[in-house]
Amino acid sequence: MLKYGLYLDYSHFRDQLPQGEASLKDHDIAKGFFSHDPKGKLKRIKNHKYYALVINGIAYIWSENNFYALYRNDNNYFFNGPSKTTASASNMIAASAMFGAIGSVLAANGMEYYVTKIDFYNGSFVKVSKL
């Protein structure tokens, strides 16, 4: 069972040592995650500052500007979410030729969805399969 709370980095998440508390506004994930400030006022958490959080027994991991629910398979954690893709050199040249500089930028900044595994040793993301 995962410990409820906010985790600043992978080592704290791995060792289950939360650094703060979080809650859902109106129990709705779409409204975001919140935490109490030193004065006790509920404030939206600055997502990019956290590696993960656990609420109601569900772990969420921060990736590409959003939190994604983690699920466990055997002794590994996975999530389904977007990941930046790198276009091949030939695709970059083709996009540049067809659409100019903007085309090459768009080709270089593509996003695709993957099943992603959390590396047990260092917490990095390992793409497993494309969705």
Side-chain angles (χ1 to χ4, degrees):
M1 183 80 173
L2 297 172
K3 287 186 182 177
Y4 162 82
L6 293 167
Y7 298 88
L8 294 172
D9 54 40
Y10 175 69
S11 63
H12 285 94
F13 180 68
R14 180 195 61 215
D15 298 337
Q16 289 296 281
L17 301 169
Q19 286 87 31
E21 296 182 1
S23 62
L24 287 170
K25 186 171 188 175
D26 300 328
H27 304 285
D28 184 357
I29 192 168
K31 292 184 179 181
F33 299 100
F34 290 78
S35 182
H36 289 93
D37 68 9
K39 295 180 181 178
K41 186 176 179 183
L42 202 60
K43 293 208 170 214
R44 181 181 281 273
I45 65 168
K46 300 209 184 296
N47 301 338
H48 63 279
K49 290 186 176 183
Y50 298 98
Y51 177 81
L53 58 89
V54 177
I55 294 178
N56 300 330
I58 301 172
Y60 299 89
I61 191 97
W62 177 255
S63 176
E64 300 299 336
N65 297 320
N66 207 352
F67 278 107
Y68 296 91
L70 288 175
Y71 58 92
R72 191 173 177 160
N73 188 355
D74 294 325
N75 290 325
N76 295 302
Y77 283 100
F78 298 86
F79 70 95
N80 299 334
S83 181
K84 289 182 182 175
T85 58
T86 304
S88 67
S90 59
N91 286 347
M92 291 285 290
I93 292 168
S96 180
M98 291 172 49
F99 303 107
I102 292 174
S104 62
V105 168
L106 292 175
N109 293 323
M111 291 286 239
E112 293 183 341
Y113 284 78
Y114 288 87
V115 172
T116 304
K117 177 181 169 182
I118 307 300
D119 185 292
F120 175 78
Y121 295 103
N122 62 20
S124 64
F125 298 161
V126 179
K127 294 177 191 173
V128 175
S129 63
K130 192 173 173 180
L131 293 173

